Amino acid sequence: PGLASFAARVLKNIGMDIVSVGNFDEEKQPLSQIKTFSGLEKSPSRRLMEKIFLDGKKTSGQGGNPQADITLILGEDYGKKIYGEK
């Protein structure tokens, strides 16, 4: 999980706690997603993650990992952004 590890380091460096890093179990995602549990949709952490990882695209939803408040699913869009592909 090279891209996920990179994103985890970014988040850790800005003071967030990382519960786990791994590959998403489902098929490749074209767009990155942020999933939260009800009540956290407007949290400062989520808004910051939206700015860093979503580039203004609203592909967020509810649900995610029950061990974490926020689940970030990196899509192909973020990989292209990091590696400079179009």
Side-chain angles (χ1 to χ4, degrees):
L3 188 60
S5 294
F6 174 78
R9 280 194 312 272
V10 168
L11 293 171
K12 190 170 185 168
N13 286 341
I14 60 173
M16 293 190 179
D17 294 324
I18 307 302
V19 174
S20 67
V21 177
N23 290 323
F24 189 57
D25 293 334
E26 298 176 24
E27 61 189 47
K28 285 186 177 182
Q29 300 294 308
L31 297 176
S32 297
Q33 302 174 44
I34 297 173
K35 297 188 177 205
T36 56
F37 289 97
S38 182
L40 295 173
E41 294 87 359
K42 295 182 180 180
S43 73
S45 296
R46 181 186 170 123
R47 287 191 311 229
L48 181 59
M49 290 175 71
E50 286 175 348
K51 288 181 182 180
I52 295 171
F53 298 103
L54 296 188
D55 279 341
K57 296 184 248 23
K58 294 294 180 185
T59 56
S60 303
Q62 290 188 348
N65 183 340
Q67 297 174 331
D69 294 333
I70 301 172
T71 299
L72 171 64
I73 300 168
L74 295 174
E76 293 174 343
D77 61 333
Y78 189 70
K80 290 176 182 177
K81 176 181 175 181
I82 293 300
Y83 296 118
E85 300 173 18
K86 296 189 180 199

